[in-house]
Amino acid sequence: MVVALTLAGWVTSGLWAAPNDRAITVNSSDQALFEWLLGYGAYALTHGENPLFTYLLNAPDGVNLAVNTSITVYAVLFAPLTFLIGPPATFLVILTLNLAGTAVAWYWLLSRLRTGSSGTGTGAGDTGTPFVPSRLAAAVGGLFCGFAPAMVSHANAHLNWTAGWLVPIIVWRVLALRGRSGAAPLASGGWARNGLILGALVAAAFSIAAEGLFFTALACGVFLGVWALDRSRAAEVRDALPRLLRGLAVTAVVATSLLAYPLYLHFLGPQVFHGTGFDARIHSEDLLAYGAFPERSLAGVAGLGTSLAPNETEENSFFGVPLLVLTLACLALLWRAADPGRRATLRALAGTAAVFAVLSLGPRLKINGTITDIPLPYAPLAGAPVFNAALPARLAMVVTPIVGILLALALDLLRQRRATGASTPRRLRLWTAGYVVALLPVVPVSLLTVEREPVPQFITSGQWRDHVSPGGVLAPVPFTLDVLPDGQRWQAYAFAHRQGEFAIPSGFFLGPGGPDGRGRIGPVPRATDALLHEVARTGVVPPVTDADRAAARADLRYWNAEVVVLADRVHGAKFPVDADALLRVTTDLLGPPQRVADVWLWPAPDGGW
């Protein structure tokens, strides 16, 4: 626990000095989104609002948060902390705990899971041999799972994907569904009780990381399927299958009952879409990425990193060649020493890793950044329901815990051989060197952070309430998007400091409007927000025509904006923003502004826009 917290604090250390003033360099947009979700979730809880749909974003159409990453469970559980220290600091606490918790949860599973003659888990606390008897080996496996390249990469602001602690807990409960022959349904280890617990876990996981839950379910299915096909396990499969199926039925009933409304919104509610709109060919894993080193690692800062990921948050494999070699060597070592039951488990682990590694390569093979015409098994899945809302590259994250498990099992076997004298000191030294050479390059370093523009005094002082009615529309300039997140940061501050609420046009969210009925980031732009976005991006002041002025007023009427606001400093997540250029263009569009506190203000005329 101490080591895990220390490492998590080190990875996130760039934010701890000033959580409200600093942002993750490569992904300040997602950070602002999750801060908004925490602020809105706390507001919704205390004001009786719908946590899964809001009209405070994308006025007047609203946003379906159920099809976005709403992290409702986190927002509710951490609401007291959000009100106490604010959304940015709460975001940082959750991010740090996610990393540490993932390592601790995998350590707990590896060291507490008990195995029977089959070599697979029968549940924590049951009688039998620990899956990884050595606590040191289990700690190595757990720490790798918590701080692997994929986890550190997604620590660039992804509160959903860093919640990897959910995976070992769900795996534990799935394995518990096998139960014990003769156990009563509601007894400890009974299929009904285990189904109830797993159903509740599934509902919580859906709220925090629905895509991750989908991948976990697929991985469990592949693992159990490969394991069950082993001929030596036939009798055990016949014995456990009825309990497993009954337990899964209970799980489905419980999860569906708890998720009935979120699932309705997700698939049938307003502002839904089918598919994220992200290109699966681009957001797939490069074949060479498995042997590459991640950017935020010792190897990366030494100049050995690559740009093979779609972006810095998606280094989903990036194990490095030494670690790939060590993993295969561990598998071979374990295979030679294994009995039939353990071999069935090893075969299932290897088979699951192979399936997900291949699927992560996407619909077309990509090598060194070049997308080839070579089709891959993911191609027929790309348009399938649920798959069309997932990114294939992230399937590689399933490989990470399998690597960690194999490292832990092999280290435990080597420890046993050392104790019994079954291996020579020279061979043990070679294995130790192999672990060091493979793991040292991927040891994480701290995330890059940058100073971000403060929330203006106009918001922090509550002066905005003198110009906007409760729930009225405040239009930030430039209009809020993923690359221009200030409007949602202002809202999050108002939510968390109990100032009340105001709505904004646009916003950073996934909604309808993409090609072929798929989703897109933010709404389909209107003339005015498109114009101001281009000024923010380029700093170029275009000539403003009467047609532009008429369009601006029409757009403001559509949004029902009560006031337009431009701060002195504007945060751009991907580019610097020239606030002076925005002031000149907005003045040309709407006329001279008022100066209120530290912002420029254009109130709606008495007769409306």
Side-chain angles (χ1 to χ4, degrees):
M1 175 72 79
V2 173
V3 175
L5 281 172
T6 301
L7 274 174
W10 160 242
V11 170
T12 59
S13 59
L15 294 174
W16 276 104
N20 293 314
D21 302 323
R22 300 197 66 78
I24 294 171
T25 302
V26 302
N27 202 12
S28 61
S29 55
D30 275 11
Q31 180 177 346
L33 171 61
F34 280 111
E35 290 172 3
W36 183 90
L37 288 166
L38 292 170
Y40 176 73
Y43 162 81
L45 178 67
T46 54
H47 288 74
E49 296 291 331
N50 189 341
L52 297 176
F53 193 94
T54 181
Y55 287 101
L56 296 178
L57 279 186
N58 193 34
D61 300 316
V63 174
N64 187 335
L65 297 176
V67 295
N68 286 264
T69 306
S70 57
I71 58 167
T72 310
V73 168
Y74 275 163
V76 171
L77 289 179
F78 285 88
L81 190 64
T82 300
F83 286 129
L84 180 65
I85 63 177
T90 303
F91 164 88
L92 177 55
V93 169
I94 296 173
L95 179 62
T96 305
L97 291 178
N98 269 350
L99 294 172
T102 300
V104 171
W106 277 109
Y107 163 76
W108 180 87
L109 182 71
L110 294 174
S111 61
R112 293 289 302 279
L113 190 71
R114 302 290 171 171
T115 62
S117 60
S118 66
T120 58
T122 59
D126 289 348
T127 58
T129 305
F131 189 62
V132 180
S134 167
R135 293 197 173 187
L136 173 62
V140 170
L143 288 171
F144 176 80
C145 292
F147 299 94
M151 288 293 293
V152 175
S153 172
H154 283 282
N156 284 297
H158 287 169
L159 291 190
N160 51 345
W161 283 107
T162 52
W165 55 270
L166 285 163
V167 178
I169 295 175
I170 290 174
V171 169
W172 164 46
R173 297 319 306 174
V174 168
L175 293 176
L177 289 179
R178 296 167 56 200
R180 294 189 299 271
S181 180
L186 291 176
S188 176
W191 53 267
R193 173 180 177 273
N194 290 325
L196 286 167
I197 295 172
L198 182 58
L201 282 173
V202 166
F206 182 87
S207 162
I208 296 173
E211 191 177 352
L213 174 64
F214 175 52
F215 291 172
T216 302
L218 288 177
C220 288
V222 172
F223 174 86
L224 291 175
V226 175
W227 178 85
L229 289 175
D230 191 287
R231 292 182 178 180
S232 66
R233 302 297 101 201
E236 189 173 353
V237 170
R238 286 193 298 270
D239 177 66
L241 187 59
R243 294 189 300 277
L244 177 66
L245 293 178
R246 288 194 292 266
L248 287 176
V250 174
T251 297
V253 170
V254 172
T256 302
S257 300
L258 294 174
L259 295 172
Y261 179 63
L263 288 172
Y264 159 74
L265 282 180
H266 192 93
F267 293 105
L268 300 172
Q271 297 291 302
V272 298
F273 51 88
H274 303 287
T276 61
F278 293 104
D279 192 332
R281 295 171 301 175
I282 294 174
H283 291 275
S284 59
E285 207 71 349
D286 194 298
L287 180 64
L288 301 184
Y290 279 87
F293 291 117
E295 291 289 338
R296 302 310 299 162
S297 66
L298 293 181
V301 298
L304 300 178
T306 67
S307 56
L308 292 175
N311 55 64
E312 294 91 338
T313 65
E314 298 290 347
E315 293 178 333
N316 296 298
S317 55
F318 288 74
F319 298 111
V321 171
L323 183 53
L324 292 180
V325 173
L326 176 64
T327 302
L328 292 174
C330 289
L331 180 59
L333 174 72
L334 292 165
W335 186 266
R336 288 195 297 268
D339 58 26
R342 182 54 63 95
R343 283 193 174 184
T345 300
L346 293 173
R347 184 181 290 109
L349 288 170
T352 304
V355 167
F356 279 82
V358 171
L359 290 177
S360 74
L361 301 176
R364 294 288 185 272
L365 183 63
K366 181 165 57 175
I367 303 177
N368 199 26
T370 300
I371 301 174
T372 71
D373 293 328
I374 302 173
L376 294 174
Y378 189 85
L381 298 174
V386 185
F387 279 97
N388 63 6
L391 301 183
R394 293 174 176 173
L395 290 162
M397 296 184 71
V398 173
V399 181
T400 288
I402 294 175
V403 171
I405 291 169
L406 292 175
L407 292 177
L409 288 171
L411 190 60
D412 179 69
L413 177 60
L414 292 169
R415 180 197 63 83
Q416 295 177 33
R417 290 186 170 184
R418 177 185 178 184
T420 60
S423 287
T424 64
R426 179 176 179 275
R427 180 170 295 180
L428 293 173
R429 285 194 298 269
L430 286 174
W431 275 102
T432 300
Y435 270 77
V436 172
V437 169
L439 294 176
L440 187 62
V442 296
V443 169
V445 298
S446 59
L447 302 174
L448 296 174
T449 61
V450 65
E451 183 181 0
R452 65 177 171 184
E453 288 67 21
V455 177
Q457 182 188 358
F458 175 72
I459 299 294
T460 60
S461 66
Q463 284 181 271
W464 64 269
R465 292 176 292 191
D466 297 331
H467 304 272
V468 184
S469 62
V473 178
L474 181 156
V477 175
F479 291 85
T480 305
L481 285 172
D482 55 329
V483 293
L484 299 163
D486 277 352
Q488 280 173 251
R489 292 179 56 223
W490 299 357
Q491 280 187 314
Y493 185 95
F495 293 148
H497 290 80
R498 302 177 186 271
Q499 293 182 347
E501 72 285 344
F502 58 85
I504 63 173
S506 192
F508 178 20
F509 61 90
L510 288 175
D516 303 322
R518 291 177 291 172
R520 57 169 288 125
I521 295 176
V524 176
R526 299 176 70 87
T528 306
D529 50 346
L531 170 64
L532 293 175
H533 176 271
E534 190 65 13
V535 174
R537 187 181 67 83
T538 65
V540 175
V541 178
V544 175
T545 67
D546 287 341
D548 293 327
R549 297 184 183 96
R553 284 171 168 76
D555 289 341
L556 291 168
R557 285 195 300 272
Y558 172 78
W559 293 315
N560 198 26
E562 297 182 10
V563 66
V564 177
V565 179
L566 170 63
D568 289 338
R569 297 172 61 190
V570 179
H571 180 71
K574 301 297 181 183
F575 46 76
V577 176
D578 188 338
D580 290 335
L582 286 167
L583 176 60
R584 292 167 58 189
V585 172
T586 311
T587 300
D588 282 348
L589 285 171
L590 304 178
Q594 301 175 12
R595 183 68 176 174
V596 179
D598 53 350
V599 302
W600 297 103
L601 206 72
W602 291 265
D606 290 339
W609 299 102

